[in-house]
């Protein structure tokens, strides 16, 4: 069984000013939820039998994303122009999964619970100045800057063969700068 719900919104607004300048605001919003429940009976007819007689699996995931970009096109004298853009974004995900595998007699062979969470935030700044130098040709200079930070955590509780579960925790942090 699967239950999925999603929402997307992507508004864009552009203003053209009297002097020919253009301002644009463009955003994107996304939210989603995925739920999954499954049961599998396992029957080996050839070869070595599986240690699992049945496997139950559940998954619940929530995902969100927000992004907005602002741009400004400014016309200068002599055909030159300045094009500026700035943006920000956020991505987030939370997920819980549980896997339970039982042997033929109903004893747990595998019992895993995994929880993950990640968040990513980024900012960008892009700019370009262009000016005509001769008929049909322009000279341009600009920049493209950005930074992204990501945090991800993974916590797992691993049970094997009815033994006491073992807990693991993995945390990741990264930062990327673009120049």
């Amino acid at each position: 069984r699967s239950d999925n719900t999603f929402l997307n919104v992507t508004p864009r607004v552009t203003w053209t000013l009297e002097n020919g300048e253009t301002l644009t605001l463009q955003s994107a919003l996304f939210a989603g939820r995925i739920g999954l429940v499954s049961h599998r009976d396992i029957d080996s007819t050839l070869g070595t039998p599986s240690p699992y007689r049945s496997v139950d699996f559940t998954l619940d995931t929530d995902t969100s994303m927000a992004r907005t970009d602002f741009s400004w096109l400014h016309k200068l004298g002599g055909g030159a122009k300045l094009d500026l853009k700035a943006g920000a974004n956020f991505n987030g995900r939370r997920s819980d999964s549980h896997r339970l595998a039982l042997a033929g007699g109903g004893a747990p062979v595998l019992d895993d619970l995994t929880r993950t969470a990640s968040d990513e935030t980024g900012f960008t700044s892009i700019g370009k100045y262009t000016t005509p130098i001769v008929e049909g040709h322009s000279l341009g200079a600009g920049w493209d800057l950005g930074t992204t930070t990501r945090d991800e955590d993974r916590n797992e509780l691993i049970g094997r063969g009815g033994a006491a579960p073992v807990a693991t925790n993995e945390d990741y942090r990264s930062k990327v700068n673009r120049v």
Side-chain angles (χ1 to χ4, degrees), residues 111-113 155-160 163-169:
D111 191 359
D112 287 355
L113 175 62
N155 298 297
E156 192 167 9
L157 196 56
I158 306 166
R160 301 273 194 264
V166 175
T168 64
N169 181 23

Side-chain angles (χ1 to χ4, degrees), residues 3-4 13 23-24 36 39 58 63 75 92 107 115 126-127 144 148 153 161 166 172 179:
D3 295 316
N4 302 314
V13 179
L23 302 172
T24 302
L36 175 67
H39 172 82
T58 60
T63 305
K75 295 185 179 184
R115 290 191 167 145
I126 301 168
D144 185 349
T148 301
D153 301 317
V166 175
Y172 305 96
V179 178

Side-chain angles (χ1 to χ4, degrees), residues 12-27:
R12 177 184 170 122
V13 179
T14 301
W15 297 275
T16 302
L17 305 177
E18 291 180 17
N19 60 2
E21 293 182 359
T22 304
L23 302 172
T24 302
L25 180 64
Q26 182 170 332
S27 299

